[in-house]
Amino acid sequence: MTEQPETHAPATRPESDLLPGTHPLRDGRTSSAPLVLTARRQPVPHTPVWFMRQAGRSLPEYRKVREGVAMLDSCFRTDLIVEITLQPVRRLGVDAAIFFSDIVVPLKAIGIDLDIVPGVGPVVAEPFRTMADVDRLRDLTDDDVAPVLAAVTALSQELGGTPLIGFAGAPFTLASYLVEGGPSRDHARTKSLMYGAPDVWHALLEKLSHVAGQFLRQQVLAGASAVQLFDSWVGVLPARDYREYVLPHSTRALEHVADLGVPKIHFGVGTGELLADMRDAGADVVGVDFRVPLDEASRRVGPLHALQGNLDPASLFAGPEAVAARVRQVLADAEGLPGHIFNLGHGVLPSTDPDVLRSVVDLVHETTAR
Ligand code: CP3
């Protein structure tokens, strides 16, 4: 792996010749897609837009193909991954696809006993608490996720000029599920381990950084044109603890793809106080939730990074005029930014009307057409 460029270096580096010649960034299919150009802070014909959790329960066609298939089973079926990933691209006209999977898929793939319980989220059979638990984690190989990578390759062919975003859970968010055993409001067990047994904590996060980084690298080599590292729950930490207990590990995860020259996005919820530190993990684009307006977020992140965000997903129920006004406000906040990828401030809520999502895509495209 080559040296990581200086953290604040301009993100204009072209894709690497380490990518296969048939990769969509190398053969030119996605190299001038608005999402890719924006991440590199280059001019675009319109602001690119996609939605976190666009592939999922808000779409009737998703609920139909998922009938009778458990969530994690569907994540290991190539045909379902391809179909579910394409559904929102067809229906919504978004500028990127995010492949259908879940952050716990690579953990399941290396043999951790866990399930995704409907309405709850990931649940781990034997939660991680000790150094012996850390030893249960191993490196992720291509064979572990073969059906997933087959889907990524098929999708990168199906999608033509629309970039496929690969993703992984960041070490902190993965650790929070492993340590708590499931979703948690206060993250008390996670923080107990972090503050009370820092050696175990750092060993755990180091291993998770490799699993996450390996998963990102596999997806890029299989055809993904961008990646997003989700640190959904890291907003529960103050900045000083973030820097000490999390940042080195998220940085290591992203280093796994640094030499590939693929755009990298890093996102968390409630991370207003962490934005400048999250920027230092090495992504090109910092994702912002709905709590901090984009102009203020950009002041915190600085001029060398594009931003992604940040319409409140709950505002999509407010009726067409209110939705349009709030979309325009996000675009106004983003005026003059080094780069802006329009998204929600967190994932699409399951009861969202897909027609409203479509209207947001159209409005962003019309308003920002240059
Ligand atoms: O469109 C996309 O964004 C791609 C698919 C995707 C899923 N999960 C599918 C999914 C992505 C990117 C994720 C990432 C993920 N998973 C994160 C990070 C993003 C975020 O929202 O913060 C997290 C924290 C998880 C863990 C997880 N998995 C949760 C909290 C849940 C929800 C539990 C529930 O049922 O409400 C899941 C399950 C899950 N992942 C679903 C989907 C479509 C719903 C399960 C179903 O459809 O049966």
Side-chain angles (χ1 to χ4, degrees):
M1 191 171 293
T2 52
E3 283 273 302
Q4 171 87 324
E6 203 201 318
T7 317
H8 293 202
T12 46
R13 195 154 57 114
E15 46 283 355
S16 144
D17 54 14
L18 293 171
L19 295 176
T22 53
H23 191 284
L25 276 177
R26 276 203 71 195
D27 68 17
R29 276 174 291 153
T30 58
S31 50
S32 47
L35 179 110
V36 171
L37 292 177
T38 299
R40 294 177 171 157
R41 292 179 280 117
Q42 289 169 359
V44 278
H46 60 79
T47 296
V49 47
W50 69 281
F51 303 112
M52 292 182 277
R53 297 287 183 96
Q54 65 189 16
R57 286 173 294 182
S58 69
L59 302 185
E61 58 269 36
Y62 168 79
R63 297 194 290 267
K64 186 148 185 288
V65 296
R66 276 288 319 284
E67 255 167 43
V69 188
M71 174 67 192
L72 269 176
D73 291 341
S74 67
C75 292
F76 286 91
R77 275 189 43 188
T78 305
D79 59 335
L80 284 180
I81 301 170
V82 170
E83 168 57 21
I84 295 171
T85 301
L86 292 173
Q87 286 175 347
V89 179
R90 291 186 199 118
R91 188 196 264 258
L92 306 176
V94 282
D95 293 278
I98 179 150
F99 98 102
F100 175 74
S101 189
D102 194 84
I103 56 169
V104 296
V105 162
L107 299 176
K108 179 80 179 174
I110 59 170
I112 305 303
D113 185 0
L114 55 82
D115 200 4
I116 295 180
V117 178
V120 176
V123 174
V124 178
E126 294 172 63
F128 281 49
R129 305 280 155 79
T130 64
M131 203 60 105
D133 289 324
V134 176
D135 293 336
R136 287 154 59 196
L137 294 172
R138 62 163 172 84
D139 282 349
L140 179 72
T141 67
D142 285 1
D143 284 348
D144 295 325
V145 282
V148 177
L149 300 180
V152 170
T153 300
L155 281 163
S156 66
Q157 282 152 12
E158 290 267 337
L159 282 162
T162 303
L164 178 69
I165 302 172
F167 73 90
F172 176 87
T173 291
L174 292 177
S176 84
Y177 284 110
L178 291 179
V179 174
E180 303 289 340
S184 164
R185 189 184 289 265
D186 51 27
H187 297 264
R189 290 196 178 91
T190 308
K191 289 181 177 180
S192 303
L193 187 73
M194 182 160 78
Y195 302 136
D199 54 332
V200 178
W201 175 261
H202 284 295
L204 175 61
L205 264 75
E206 174 162 3
K207 282 221 174 158
L208 291 172
S209 74
H210 292 303
V211 173
Q214 284 153 354
F215 194 42
L216 293 177
R217 189 173 183 88
Q218 290 170 330
Q219 294 168 58
V220 173
L221 292 175
S225 290
V227 293
Q228 177 156 322
L229 189 66
F230 281 95
D231 212 350
S232 301
W233 310 140
V234 79
V236 298
L237 295 183
R240 184 170 37 205
D241 293 340
Y242 176 82
R243 286 192 291 271
E244 179 169 350
Y245 296 104
V246 177
L247 178 59
H249 304 292
S250 296
T251 304
R252 194 182 311 102
L254 287 169
E255 272 169 5
H256 277 265
V257 290
D259 59 340
L260 301 179
V262 63
K264 303 180 284 302
I265 308 167
H266 192 23
F267 166 79
V269 180
T271 48
E273 296 298 322
L274 306 180
L275 288 174
D277 294 304
M278 288 181 74
R279 167 202 65 202
D280 290 342
D284 309 291
V285 183
V286 177
V288 183
D289 89 348
F290 51 84
R291 290 169 182 84
V292 182
L294 291 176
D295 50 352
E296 172 56 22
S298 191
R299 279 192 285 278
R300 296 181 190 188
V301 166
L304 297 179
H305 287 74
L307 297 184
Q308 175 174 283
N310 69 345
L311 183 71
D312 186 344
S315 73
L316 294 172
F317 303 92
E321 275 153 39
V323 171
R326 299 193 71 91
V327 169
R328 288 198 187 93
Q329 181 65 59
V330 170
L331 293 173
D333 292 343
E335 196 71 44
L337 251 53
H340 176 218
I341 299 169
F342 191 99
N343 204 314
L344 303 179
H346 196 186
V348 173
L349 296 167
S351 52
T352 306
D353 178 351
D355 291 344
V356 175
L357 292 172
R358 172 86 224 190
S359 74
V360 171
V361 174
D362 292 342
L363 183 58
V364 171
H365 286 166
E366 285 158 21
T367 311
T368 61
R370 285 155 200 136

